[in-house]
Amino acid sequence: MNTLFDKIWDAHVVQIIPDGPQQLYIDRLYCHEVTSPQAFEGLRRRGLKPFRPQNIYCMPDHNTPTHDQDQPIADPVSRKQVDTLARNATEFGLNHFGMMHPKNGIIHVVGPERALTLPGMTIVCGDSHTSTHGAVGAVAFGIGTSEVEMVLASQCILQQKPKTMRITINGKLGKGVTAKDLALYVMSQITTSGATGYFVEYAGKVVQSLSMEGRLTLCNLSIEMGSRGGMIAPDETTFNYIKGREYAPKGEAWNKAVAYWKTLYSDENAQFDRELEFDASKIEPMITYGTNPGMGIAITSEIPASQCATDVKALEYMDFKSGETLIGKPIDYVFLGACTNGRIEDFRAFASVVKGKQKAKDVTAWLVPGSWNVDKQIREEGLDKILEAAGFEIRQPGCSACLAMNDDKVPAGKYCVATSNRNFEGRQGPGARTLLASPLTAAAAAITGRITDPRTFL
Amino acid sequence: MKQKFNVIKSTCVPLPLKNVDTDQIIPARFLKATTKEGFGDNLFRDWRYNADGSPKKDFILNNPRYKGVVLVAGKNFGCGSSREHAAWAIADYGFRIVISSFFADIHKNNELNNFVLPVQVSERFLEHLFDSIKSDPNTEVIVDLPNQTVTNTATNEEEHFEINGYKKYCLENALDDIDYILENKDKIVQFEQARQHV
């Protein structure tokens, strides 16, 4: 009677160290430029080479500018980090999709869309949003740089087996309520440490009815509840999404793979260490008002009373007060993108709201596709025309203003409605004030220049 | 950064805030280095310095009353980004122990992999320790890794803390995971040969 998580994890255990961690075999290691240079340097210092270079995929995404990517990066420190990744990949014979490569983009967008990420796999990356890949039914989690070095050296990681949690969402999502709102709602209920120590499986009718893009958004935000990873049992939605994609198994291998993937679900009597259930019909479009992703409210609600010094500090930083509502407050920036909401469905949602309208004059909007592939889809579907007619410009792919390692920084004191994953102090630039929300809510704010209930546009 | 760990007695630096995320420990704009050294200068950068680079007088690291190799922080320390740069910054600054009532998973591993010991204590122990430090900044704690105990010398409260036997052995002997795993390469190859599914 196994959980989905146990089935995949246990199939990858090389050995269990007495009174210690388990040695887990890793199918895919993804590397980006920020958390890998010290790992490659460590490898060199030990005189080692990657153990299974063919299973390692590298791409820069954090530092990449969102314009003029065909030119050298202006910031010399960013340029050095991106160049270092390219050099390391070449030296060690690893797969590398550099800037302007048609396969480049945010690693957590590229992995699933190219079907490098497949059900049943173990996947790690020096990035906490590796949890995203669990949406296809994989065990995927973020690791530190020392651990990246370990996986480079051995294709294995020593890791304590986490406890399991199932979050079941039943009912039906209301109008204008997306996977992003669902995740922000769960976080607001269980806090940013509510799932620490657990690996989460999302289940229930609402989760099953989500598109692959929606599932990726939900699993992406698992880490914001403290969970190393989130996952969803693969089903027809998953298989249809993967089939025919570049690295998906083909022909007889496909049939064999699907037959195996169909065994990946939690058995009926599987025991979880913790079970939570939520009713989707209670969820409204969500927005955050504070400085961690768990500080979210329904967009029509009032900011709750502060309960500790940390809450007081957060409201001071945001310049908000307990008891007030956010609707109608002016905003300065809108960011659509990131590994959370930088996929084609997010651009469709944003375009559906702004179609035939005009961007508010005083709002600066950054629309950043998650990959070149998403960019291509946007143009194929004609979304670029709708967005441009409404006064928006589509930028080039990368992590961009999610963590502002490139030029896309929100100035101190300014408000940004962002579809990304973190509203920490200074996340989008020193002093920047971030309000996390869905692409629909971001679009509504971009049109009105104020925090607006997106349902008024639907 | 590999150093053997045994018993440490030290005064503490108190940070009584909950949910301290790794973006605060080291902001993203300082992650562009390609080596592990020097991150301590930017530890808690935006809480520690004004935009013009002058120190913020009210921040704990700028207060000469507080010193020592032990950082004491509120619940859920190190949440958010997986950046190991946060652990490098803590170690590079000179901290060897972080005491909190709860640690985020990835950061906890990152500390251990850099020979910084995360000591998880009860809410009550943590509250009392903050009180002790507030009334006397010279309050010392004793962290005894072999016996897995932490003591507040002002109140004489002692608590047991958890660490698995393997990691404890690694810290006591300054060994890291890669040293261990490389001794077992045959097992990896055997595993690859035996598995049916990719």
Side-chain angles (χ1 to χ4, degrees), chain A residues 27 34 65 112-113 202 211 232 252 299 317 338 379 408:
Chain A
D27 296 315
V34 180
E113 79 181 4
Y202 300 98
S211 66
I232 296 169
E252 194 38 44
I299 195 159
Y317 182 85
R379 293 173 202 285
D408 306 340

Side-chain angles (χ1 to χ4, degrees), chain A residues 129-351:
Chain A
H129 293 110
T130 309
S131 61
T132 312
H133 305 266
V136 307
V139 167
F141 54 94
I143 59 176
T145 298
S146 297
E147 293 170 319
V148 171
E149 185 181 339
M150 190 182 346
V151 180
L152 284 169
S154 67
Q155 206 59 35
C156 287
I157 190 164
L158 297 185
Q159 204 75 188
Q160 207 76 38
K161 189 177 181 182
K163 293 181 281 187
T164 54
M165 179 189 287
R166 179 160 57 188
I167 297 180
T168 305
I169 325 268
N170 283 319
K172 204 172 163 234
L173 289 177
K175 191 172 87 167
V177 182
T178 67
K180 177 64 166 287
D181 302 296
L182 177 56
L184 287 174
Y185 175 79
V186 173
M187 262 177 257
S188 74
Q189 300 296 302
I190 71 171
T191 79
T192 51
S193 58
T196 304
Y198 295 89
F199 218 92
V200 171
E201 178 180 346
Y202 300 98
K205 286 211 168 60
V206 170
V207 174
Q208 286 162 1
S209 70
L210 290 176
S211 66
M212 208 58 227
E213 282 86 354
R215 294 177 185 192
L216 289 159
T217 299
L218 180 60
C219 289
N220 172 274
L221 291 161
S222 303
I223 183 65
E224 312 311 337
M225 309 165 197
S227 175
R228 288 296 284 279
M231 61 198 308
I232 296 169
D235 59 9
E236 289 304 321
T237 302
T238 321
F239 308 146
N240 290 335
Y241 177 87
I242 296 170
K243 193 169 189 180
R245 286 181 191 258
E246 189 178 356
Y247 291 90
K250 307 270 165 21
E252 194 38 44
W254 169 259
N255 295 333
K256 220 175 125 190
V258 172
Y260 170 55
W261 296 344
K262 284 185 173 170
T263 68
L264 299 176
Y265 54 85
S266 288
D267 296 328
E268 208 171 314
N269 299 319
Q271 290 293 311
F272 289 83
D273 295 301
R274 202 167 165 213
E275 292 241 31
L276 296 175
E277 203 173 328
F278 296 98
D279 178 2
S281 55
K282 290 194 179 137
I283 306 173
E284 289 186 68
M286 297 285 295
I287 191 159
T288 63
Y289 61 88
T291 55
N292 76 54
M295 299 174 88
I297 47 174
I299 195 159
T300 54
S301 311
E302 292 166 357
I303 296 174
S306 295
Q307 289 177 348
C308 60
T310 311
D311 292 349
V312 172
K313 189 174 188 296
L315 288 188
E316 263 174 30
Y317 182 85
M318 295 299 291
D319 198 20
F320 291 148
K321 290 184 182 60
S322 294
E324 63 180 0
T325 53
L326 293 172
I327 297 268
K329 283 194 178 285
I331 56 108
D332 310 289
Y333 285 74
V334 164
F335 171 51
L336 172 68
C339 54
T340 313
N341 284 118
R343 298 183 183 80
I344 186 64
E345 194 171 87
D346 305 312
F347 279 79
R348 285 182 198 137
F350 192 97

Side-chain angles (χ1 to χ4, degrees), chain A residues 7 25 27 33 61 80 154 197 216 254 302 385 412 456:
Chain A
K7 285 181 182 178
Y25 190 82
D27 296 315
E33 77 279 20
D61 53 12
K80 185 179 173 201
S154 67
L216 289 159
W254 169 259
E302 292 166 357
K385 301 280 181 309
T456 56

Side-chain angles (χ1 to χ4, degrees), chain B residues 103-119:
Chain B
F103 289 88
D105 279 334
I106 304 178
H107 180 70
K108 190 176 185 178
N109 282 350
N110 287 342
E111 285 192 6
L112 285 166
N113 285 334
N114 288 281
F115 300 87
V116 172
L117 178 63
V119 175

Side-chain angles (χ1 to χ4, degrees), chain A residues 12 19 25 27 38 46 52 75 78 81 127-128 144-146 158 160 197 228 310 313 405 422 425 427, chain B residues 18 21 23-24 31-33 35 47 80-82 84 105-106 110 164-166 176 179-180 192 195:
Chain A
H12 288 82
D19 193 19
Y25 190 82
D27 296 315
Q38 294 86 353
R46 291 175 202 257
R52 293 290 177 254
D75 175 354
S78 284
Q81 215 170 37
D127 193 292
S128 62
T145 298
S146 297
L158 297 185
Q160 207 76 38
R228 288 296 284 279
T310 311
K313 189 174 188 296
M405 282 189 77
R422 286 180 179 144
E425 282 185 35
R427 174 81 176 180
Chain B
K18 290 194 285 188
D21 59 79
D23 271 81
Q24 306 317 314
L31 306 187
K32 297 183 184 186
T35 60
W47 287 349
S81 159
S82 61
E84 192 161 319
D105 279 334
I106 304 178
N110 287 342
N164 73 53
Y166 164 81
D176 69 19
D179 297 328
Y180 181 89
E192 285 177 328
R195 69 202 296 241

Side-chain angles (χ1 to χ4, degrees), chain B residues 8 10-11 54 59 81 89-90 95 106 121 134 156 159 165 181 183-184 195:
Chain B
I8 286 181
S10 168
T11 52
S54 59
F59 188 62
S81 159
I90 290 169
F95 289 120
I106 304 178
V121 297
K134 199 173 173 187
N156 278 325
E159 242 184 44
I181 219 165
E183 288 171 15
N184 294 285
R195 69 202 296 241

